[in-house]
Amino acid sequence: MSRPSTPLLSPEIIGEAALALSAAGEPFGVNAIARRLGVRPSSLYNHVDGMDGIVELMRGRLVEDYRVEPQGESWDEYLLALLREQRRMYADHPQLVPLLVGKTITHPAVIAAYDDLATVLVEGGFPEGDVLAVIGILDAFAIGFGLDLASPEEVWQPGEETRTLGRILENGERGDARSDRTFELGARLLVDSLRTRFRS
Amino acid sequence: MSRPSTPLLSPEIIGEAALALSAAGEPFGVNAIARRLGVRPSSLYNHVDGMDGIVELMRGRLVEDYRVEPQGESWDEYLLALLREQRRMYADHPQLVPLLVGKTITHPAVIAAYDDLATVLVEGGFPEGDVLAVIGILDAFAIGFGLDLASPEEVWQPGEETRTLGRILENGERGDARSDRTFELGARLLVDSLRTRFRS
DNA sequence: ACCTGAACACCGTTCAAGT
DNA sequence: ACCTGAACACCGTTCAAGT
């Protein structure tokens, strides 16, 4: 059983297993992936360049799975759709966030997605000198709200008396409802202020 | 040498070592901390409740180190100062982000900091029903821009031809200068839109 | 009370051996 | 070409032994 007639593994299979583990909130290391695929950890190294390679694979699959293609809608509608989808993506894979933002992006599909965004902004009338900053703001937004959505049902649990926070928490929502309201307000504020500042 | 006359360790010493490692971008696990303190990993368990306890310790030290106390300035000035400091904090400890946002906050000093913020917002005239959402937006902002600041000098490196992104990158800044411009624009947009929406 | 050493079940990675 | 098994240097955690 040292070499099967038809391969058990491939980069695609490995990437998919890694993402499934990550989406389930479980560790997605070499050993965990091998366990899930019924294979020895060392087998993975025939298809993938270690843990770094696996992360690159995951990045590629994520762009595909959460891709939002411009359909000719107005820039603000596109931005809202993109923000919503990206937030979902980071919320589904919070453990992956530091690994994704810690490395330079070279993956062609990811570059293409950012190129789409840059093009929509330029065609929407944004000054070219500001486009990079706007892209960065959108990314920061999506990551921040994604992690917020992934955070526990109860974010704050005051032990002692508070002046304001405790009262606000009692009357406010919690869990996904709280995170959704936060995101919707934030997204609206952002898009509105972009429109105001760069009205064309 | 099984028990020293004066203890080698304490929760404070352990937390400080962990933060120093994290700030240096190095792993800050039990073994790494023990190595740095010239002690065996098992020794830490006399002072701290495992890795979870160490993270709680780090959280507490972080609030102190990056605390921004309201000084009676206007709410928007306070918000800007807070955003800047929090961004710095997350940028200095990107690896810690998923561990911090993944757990309910009970630490009294952290609760007190959020209580300060909630109080400033209420006194600044924000409707109480919106304060929780605004706090969430500020958090998301700080985390997102913090991770952006911690990201590599070159965030995008297109391999092939692009329609817009490549040109924008050539003419734009990179590294901290890019991240700073992004943050300053984002912070200004946010505070402006909060002022507009909740003008009192 | 507090540090140690041994032990355990993990982790990522390399590499010779097998087909 | 591709899976395995052994080996290595890690990791977090427990616990009896020492003072």
Side-chain angles (χ1 to χ4, degrees):
Chain A
M1 192 171 292
S2 59
R3 173 157 114 86
S5 56
T6 158
L8 298 173
L9 297 175
S10 71
E12 291 68 39
I13 292 174
I14 293 171
E16 185 165 328
L19 274 187
L21 286 166
S22 165
E26 287 163 42
F28 48 94
V30 177
N31 288 271
I33 296 172
R35 227 172 0 247
R36 169 177 244 265
L37 295 175
V39 109
R40 301 287 143 186
S42 53
S43 307
L44 302 192
Y45 290 79
N46 289 300
H47 303 270
V48 142
D49 185 16
M51 199 55 216
D52 279 13
I54 294 175
V55 170
E56 256 347 87
L57 240 36
M58 295 172 85
R59 201 206 285 268
R61 286 233 17 165
L62 280 183
V63 224
E64 290 175 36
D65 292 355
Y66 294 86
R67 183 80 188 261
V68 180
E69 275 178 281
Q71 314 266 12
E73 69 276 66
S74 60
W75 66 265
D76 48 352
E77 279 173 20
Y78 177 67
L79 253 48
L80 279 172
L82 186 65
L83 275 175
R84 265 188 260 274
E85 195 69 6
Q86 299 268 87
R87 169 185 181 240
R88 220 20 98 178
M89 180 180 83
Y90 291 118
D92 289 342
H93 303 279
Q95 315 272 11
L96 209 45
V97 169
L99 300 175
L100 292 181
V101 300
K103 275 194 62 186
T104 298
I105 299 171
T106 59
H107 197 297
V110 189
I111 293 289
Y114 278 103
D115 195 32
D116 279 350
L117 172 55
T119 305
V120 166
L121 290 172
V122 168
E123 289 178 353
F126 284 78
E128 298 215 350
D130 289 317
V131 167
L132 211 51
V134 173
I135 291 177
I137 292 171
L138 293 169
D139 265 344
F141 239 83
I143 290 174
F145 286 116
L147 291 177
D148 182 64
L149 178 56
S151 66
E153 170 92 4
E154 205 84 55
V155 176
W156 303 273
Q157 210 167 70
E160 303 152 29
E161 209 51 39
T162 59
R163 283 173 298 164
T164 313
L165 185 65
R167 167 165 36 94
I168 302 257
L169 285 173
E170 270 177 43
N171 301 326
E173 291 162 314
R174 60 206 68 225
D176 288 1
R178 180 204 59 77
S179 182
D180 287 348
R181 176 180 302 277
T182 299
F183 170 73
E184 290 300 334
L185 177 59
R188 214 173 325 128
L189 288 177
L190 176 64
V191 173
D192 285 353
S193 61
L194 284 176
R195 206 180 352 247
T196 305
R197 184 150 210 281
F198 301 106
R199 67 168 90 251
S200 48
Chain B
M1 193 171 288
S2 60
R3 172 157 114 85
S5 57
T6 157
L8 297 173
L9 297 176
S10 70
E12 291 70 36
I13 292 174
I14 293 171
E16 185 166 328
L19 275 187
L21 286 166
S22 165
E26 287 164 42
F28 48 94
V30 177
N31 289 270
I33 297 173
R35 228 173 359 248
R36 169 177 245 266
L37 295 175
V39 108
R40 302 286 143 187
S42 54
S43 307
L44 301 192
Y45 290 79
N46 288 300
H47 302 270
V48 142
D49 185 16
M51 199 56 216
D52 278 14
I54 293 175
V55 170
E56 254 350 85
L57 239 37
M58 294 172 85
R59 201 205 284 268
R61 287 235 15 167
L62 280 184
V63 225
E64 288 174 37
D65 292 355
Y66 294 86
R67 184 78 188 261
V68 181
E69 274 179 281
Q71 314 266 12
E73 70 275 67
S74 59
W75 66 265
D76 48 352
E77 280 173 19
Y78 177 68
L79 252 49
L80 278 173
L82 185 65
L83 275 176
R84 265 188 260 273
E85 194 70 7
Q86 299 268 87
R87 168 184 181 241
R88 218 25 95 178
M89 179 179 84
Y90 291 119
D92 289 344
H93 303 279
Q95 316 272 11
L96 208 45
V97 168
L99 300 175
L100 292 181
V101 300
K103 276 193 61 186
T104 299
I105 299 171
T106 58
H107 198 297
V110 188
I111 293 289
Y114 277 103
D115 194 32
D116 279 351
L117 172 55
T119 305
V120 166
L121 290 173
V122 168
E123 289 177 353
F126 283 78
E128 299 216 349
D130 289 317
V131 166
L132 210 52
V134 173
I135 291 176
I137 292 171
L138 294 168
D139 266 344
F141 238 84
I143 290 174
F145 287 116
L147 291 177
D148 182 65
L149 178 56
S151 66
E153 169 91 3
E154 205 83 54
V155 176
W156 303 273
Q157 209 167 73
E160 303 152 30
E161 209 51 39
T162 59
R163 284 173 296 164
T164 313
L165 185 64
R167 166 165 37 95
I168 302 255
L169 286 173
E170 269 176 44
N171 302 325
E173 291 162 315
R174 60 206 69 225
D176 288 1
R178 180 203 59 78
S179 182
D180 287 349
R181 175 180 303 276
T182 299
F183 170 74
E184 291 301 333
L185 176 59
R188 213 173 327 127
L189 288 178
L190 177 64
V191 172
D192 286 352
S193 61
L194 285 176
R195 206 180 353 246
T196 305
R197 183 151 211 282
F198 301 108
R199 66 168 90 253
S200 49

